[in-house]
Amino acid sequence: MDKMDIGLIGLAVMGENLCLNIESKGFGVAVYNRSADKVENFIQGRAAGKNIIGCANLQQLAGNLKRPRKIMLMVKAGVPVDEYIELLLPYLEPGDIIIDGGNSNFIDTIRRAKYTESAGFLYVGAGVSGGEEGALNGPSIMPGGSKAAWGSVKDIFLSIAAKAGDEPCCNWVGSDGSGHFVKMVHNGIEYGDMQLICEVYQLMREYLDMPVREIHETFKAWNEGILESYLIEITRDILAFEDADGSPMIDKILDAAGQKGTGKWTLISSLDEGVPLTLIGEAVWARCLSAQKDERVRASKLISGPNCKFPKKDGDKVAFVEDIKNALFASKVVSYAQGFALLRSAAKTHGWNLNLGDVAMMWRGGCIIRSAFLGNIKEAFEANPDLENLLLNSYFKDTVGEAQDGWRRVCSTAILSGIPVPALSSALAYFDGLRSERLPTNLLQAQRDYFGAHTYERVDKPRGEFFHTNWTGKGGTTPAGTYTI
């Protein structure tokens, strides 16, 4: 029997669909799963008649692969990945490649790459986005790790990846954990996008009193313009879906959100880097608050607030819906601007040579956050690879500038009406903070120096010189930087 081109471990929904995708592009696949019945069911079912073989153990899997062996793990992130690495190494030879295609924390990937490389093997941490459909028909793939592995996995990855025009939504990202970091930021932006869409949905439902079918038509129209994206598209379809009784399915779903951790990791990384990811942070907290369903139900009966509705007689609903569209677009740009700022900062910290224009193109198709303006993001970084913030690019500066009046009207209306819009409003606050030459943190620095002698810089002195004031006349002249309490 001919040797297979790649091995795959883990036959859950993503693993199965990736396997079928790989085979459909002309590559042979050997598969293994800890539960033997899953292998048998897959081989006799969806994989029947295809160039896919099942393996009873890891030794058999390794023995059925061409050299250098390429084995892709599609297992739960965390301890299972480490366990499989240890189980596989005895059956591998120097130069063989382990690929982690799950949602691993990039810190773990950095550690694993260093460990496997020290033993003579190659390691790839590949972020894969697109869900079940993407895995089968073409996901976005973000590989990083041992650069020597790219030549061996390149043909497979580029073949199975989604295409934006003729360009595969896959390219080598960089060393060690860079691929999984890029995927993590992708997921953080995904959190933000989803929260923004939910907020504008709630505004249309509660403030404008629009029926679900009308909101569906609005999202349908939006998906044919500047807001065209996968998440707008599926929101359109969700809002058209009816339950068995003919009522909107969306009304039957409990408002308590789950999460798997990548949004939290993105937020933690932003704190480590000192990069404000305010919108994504609010999206994470919004899910946490939604999960407190019982507490919210009790609070709703005890805490009162405004309950304003759109003035149907005097108001221009069409104009306000256009304002909502502008608010959504501007906030989405802020979400991407913050995400790319984090990528830029982390690249410096970890020594990754990230091409941010290429990252934008990797997200142009196949993945959950694919959207029309990712092409504009690529153009922005091609024009200026050192661009500090997307909002400083002429296209985004102009388009967000044109949208900001509606954005402000939507946020102020929502606040006055008692409708929570944490992502929309935090995006606007970030925008206003970014464009402020002077912020009130001069007072904050004075406060810190007052109670802790933490020092401050002066506007009339060079940056990097620090001063301390004896504010009360009772303290000393020694700043905090020269002693430890």
Side-chain angles (χ1 to χ4, degrees):
M1 181 172 58
D2 292 338
K3 301 284 187 181
M4 298 290 105
D5 297 290
I6 189 170
L8 189 143
I9 298 173
L11 290 175
V13 61
M14 287 292 288
E16 275 198 10
N17 284 312
L18 267 180
C19 179
L20 293 170
N21 185 353
I22 294 169
E23 193 276 341
S24 72
K25 302 303 187 297
F27 301 100
V29 189
V31 299
Y32 169 80
N33 195 85
R34 186 165 288 180
S35 302
D37 58 328
K38 280 197 172 184
V39 177
E40 185 177 353
N41 292 338
F42 181 56
I43 295 299
Q44 294 180 356
R46 299 178 75 195
K50 301 183 184 299
N51 192 20
I52 301 172
I53 62 170
C55 300
N57 52 59
L58 295 178
Q59 183 176 11
Q60 190 179 108
L61 179 77
N64 277 295
L65 298 178
K66 296 175 183 177
R67 291 178 174 81
R69 298 177 180 90
K70 299 170 284 293
I71 299 178
M72 190 166 190
L73 302 176
M74 294 301 298
V75 299
K76 186 178 180 181
V79 173
V81 177
D82 291 307
E83 290 177 343
Y84 270 112
I85 289 172
E86 293 301 329
L87 291 170
L88 279 171
L89 291 184
Y91 305 118
L92 302 183
E93 298 175 354
D96 287 348
I97 305 162
I98 297 175
I99 306 162
D100 177 10
N103 271 336
S104 287
N105 188 307
F106 79 99
I107 297 294
D108 289 336
T109 305
I110 291 174
R111 170 178 55 81
R112 290 165 185 153
K114 183 177 180 180
Y115 171 65
T116 52
E117 287 172 355
S118 70
F121 306 103
L122 302 178
Y123 196 81
V124 175
V128 179
S129 177
E132 178 181 357
E133 179 185 352
L136 182 63
N137 300 316
S140 168
I141 310 176
M142 297 148 263
S146 308
K147 183 61 184 292
W150 180 231
S152 298
V153 303
K154 182 177 181 180
D155 288 347
I156 295 175
F157 280 6
L158 295 184
S159 296
I160 68 172
K163 306 295 185 292
D166 295 327
E167 290 294 317
C169 296
C170 172
N171 207 337
W172 187 254
V173 175
S175 60
D176 50 57
S178 58
H180 275 139
F181 190 90
V182 168
K183 175 57 175 13
M184 178 194 75
V185 174
H186 164 284
N187 283 24
I189 294 173
E190 177 186 310
Y191 271 61
D193 270 7
M194 294 171 75
Q195 177 63 26
L196 289 169
I197 290 171
C198 289
E199 290 176 16
V200 302
Y201 157 77
Q202 187 175 18
L203 276 167
M204 288 187 278
R205 195 75 197 272
E206 293 192 9
Y207 179 68
L208 293 177
D209 203 25
M210 291 169 62
V212 172
R213 174 56 64 171
E214 187 178 355
I215 303 174
H216 154 77
E217 293 295 339
T218 301
F219 275 93
K220 181 180 178 181
W222 285 355
N223 197 49
E224 295 172 359
I226 198 170
L227 285 173
E228 179 195 351
S229 66
Y230 174 74
L231 286 170
I232 295 290
E233 176 187 321
I234 67 168
T235 302
R236 172 201 68 192
D237 296 344
I238 288 167
L239 295 173
F241 199 94
E242 295 180 345
D243 197 10
D245 62 2
S247 63
M249 187 68 177
I250 190 67
D251 289 343
K252 302 294 179 67
I253 299 174
L254 185 70
D255 57 321
Q259 53 186 311
K260 290 189 174 181
T262 47
K264 179 181 73 174
W265 295 347
T266 311
L267 186 54
I268 291 170
S269 293
S270 76
L271 294 170
D272 289 339
E273 291 293 329
V275 175
L277 236 66
T278 54
L279 191 155
I280 293 170
E282 289 295 345
V284 174
W285 304 135
R287 292 195 188 194
C288 295
L289 183 60
S290 79
Q292 299 174 350
K293 175 65 177 180
D294 294 341
E295 184 178 346
R296 289 189 291 111
V297 169
R298 290 192 295 273
S300 70
K301 296 176 172 59
L302 298 172
I303 304 173
S304 62
N307 186 24
C308 304
K309 293 291 185 181
F310 183 76
K312 293 182 179 180
K313 290 185 178 180
D314 304 322
D316 187 338
K317 189 172 90 169
V318 173
F320 192 71
V321 170
E322 184 67 17
D323 283 348
I324 293 175
K325 173 186 172 183
N326 287 331
L328 177 56
F329 172 77
S331 298
K332 277 172 64 71
V333 172
V334 167
S335 183
Y336 283 79
Q338 292 183 348
F340 274 91
L342 178 59
L343 288 173
R344 185 172 182 269
S345 178
K348 291 182 179 179
T349 298
H350 298 283
W352 298 328
N353 186 25
L354 295 187
N355 185 317
L356 298 182
D358 281 354
V359 170
M361 288 311 294
M362 280 185 260
W363 295 347
R364 186 66 181 84
C367 71
I368 304 302
I369 65 169
R370 60 184 185 263
S371 60
F373 66 63
L374 279 161
N376 301 109
I377 294 177
K378 178 175 174 59
E379 291 172 2
F381 285 112
E382 282 183 340
N384 181 9
D386 297 321
L387 182 66
E388 291 180 285
N389 192 298
L390 278 175
L391 290 167
L392 303 180
N393 167 262
S394 58
Y395 171 78
F396 290 109
K397 177 174 64 70
D398 292 344
T399 52
V400 172
E402 293 168 3
Q404 70 169 298
D405 286 348
W407 191 10
R408 295 181 189 283
R409 283 191 291 268
V410 166
C411 288
S412 59
T413 298
I415 291 167
L416 290 171
S417 303
I419 297 174
V421 286
L424 288 168
S425 57
S426 70
L428 181 56
Y430 173 84
F431 175 78
D432 284 336
L434 183 65
R435 68 180 187 83
S436 297
E437 182 180 357
R438 189 170 177 86
L439 290 170
T441 39
N442 55 330
L443 176 57
L444 186 149
Q445 283 297 86
Q447 291 169 334
R448 294 179 71 244
D449 190 56
Y450 188 107
F451 65 69
H454 293 298
T455 74
Y456 54 83
E457 295 172 278
R458 293 177 61 105
V459 297
D460 55 354
K461 298 291 183 180
R463 290 297 306 268
E465 290 187 29
F466 292 87
F467 301 86
H468 167 57
T469 292
N470 184 351
W471 297 93
T472 64
K474 300 176 183 178
T477 59
T478 306
T482 61
Y483 66 86
T484 301
I485 297 175

